[in-house]
Amino acid sequence: MKLLMAANWKMHKTRAEAVVFMRELAGRLSDLPEDREVAVFAPFTALGACSDALEKGARVRLGGQDCWAAEQGAFTGEISPDMLRDCGCSLVLTGHSERRAILGESNALVGEKTAFALASGLDVILCVGETLEQRELGALEAVLARQLEEGLAGVPADVVPERLSVAYEPVWAIGTGRTAGPEEVLGAHALVRQCLRRRFGDKAAEMRVLYGGSVKPENAAQIISLDNVDGLLIGGASLQVESFARIVTA
Ligand code: PGA
């Protein structure tokens, strides 16, 4: 299984800034090891420009940070999986904790988006993770199980396992500078794998489980060396080519 190293730019970068980044990144990754895949989740407005900036054969995949669960229609402000594909995307994030917390997305809605995006031909990274309060109440396992059960409810059993990944992102580690320690990552990733196995059987072994939350060039190598960690989802440290490239090749 290839490691997936993914940048989540959130609401950052104009088209011009994104293009400079993509060109520099492609240059930096010319000798990317074969066992790694790189993805950039850019804001919707920069996706077309990013796609145009990537040369044919560039080993950087593009993704949307969210999508709506319909092909088209009266959904003001929303973007469909087909529109993302039209901008050069092959991936999408669903259920990022900022969308859950700030925009009130429920597990059920995240599940609809996940199933619809996969059916529309996009690969999906479903994001899950507990708040500090939930962890301190001992609810980690229950929270992850519920997010995964509902988030994957509409995904068919015959899904191609490489097309579906889960990002474990503890909410208390996102943008806070506080990374989960090795024990915390190991424990949570084992729980995610267990849930995937319950749902998909042996195929679960071929689904990637990414870690996200204050990943930096300094801690990336240690995190990806842990069991059940098949990649990283990087926010703040993905905004500069230099630090993202160092993480990707860590
Ligand atoms: P961070 O964000 O790396 O800035 O903590 C990660 C994420 O939200 O995906």
Side-chain angles (χ1 to χ4, degrees), residues 6-8 10 93 96-98 127 167 169-170 173-178 211-216 233-238:
N8 174 14
K10 309 189 181 187
L93 297 179
H96 190 279
S97 66
E98 284 148 19
C127 304
E169 300 202 297
I174 296 179
T176 58
R178 180 174 165 192
Y211 171 79
S214 296
V215 174
K216 300 181 264 298
L233 184 56
I234 306 122
S238 76

Side-chain angles (χ1 to χ4, degrees), residues 2-10 21-22 25 29 32 36-42 47 50 54 58-65 88-93 123-125 165 208 210 231-235 237-239 244-245 247-248:
K2 290 188 180 188
L3 291 175
L4 177 55
M5 312 299 253
N8 174 14
W9 285 351
K10 309 189 181 187
F21 183 106
M22 293 312 258
L25 182 67
L29 299 184
L32 181 70
R36 305 222 167 172
E37 228 173 61
V38 177
V40 173
F41 291 88
L47 286 170
C50 286
L54 284 171
R59 289 180 53 202
V60 181
R61 299 177 66 185
L62 267 185
Q65 297 171 12
C89 293
S90 61
L91 282 156
V92 69
L93 297 179
D123 294 357
V124 172
I125 303 180
S165 305
R208 288 183 283 210
L210 280 58
L232 299 169
L233 184 56
I234 306 122
S238 76
L239 292 172
F244 182 55
I247 293 170
V248 165

Side-chain angles (χ1 to χ4, degrees), residues 36 38 42 44-45 67 85 96 101 109 131 161 174 247:
R36 305 222 167 172
V38 177
F44 296 141
T45 46
C67 67
R85 281 156 48 103
H96 190 279
L109 178 61
T131 62
I174 296 179
I247 293 170

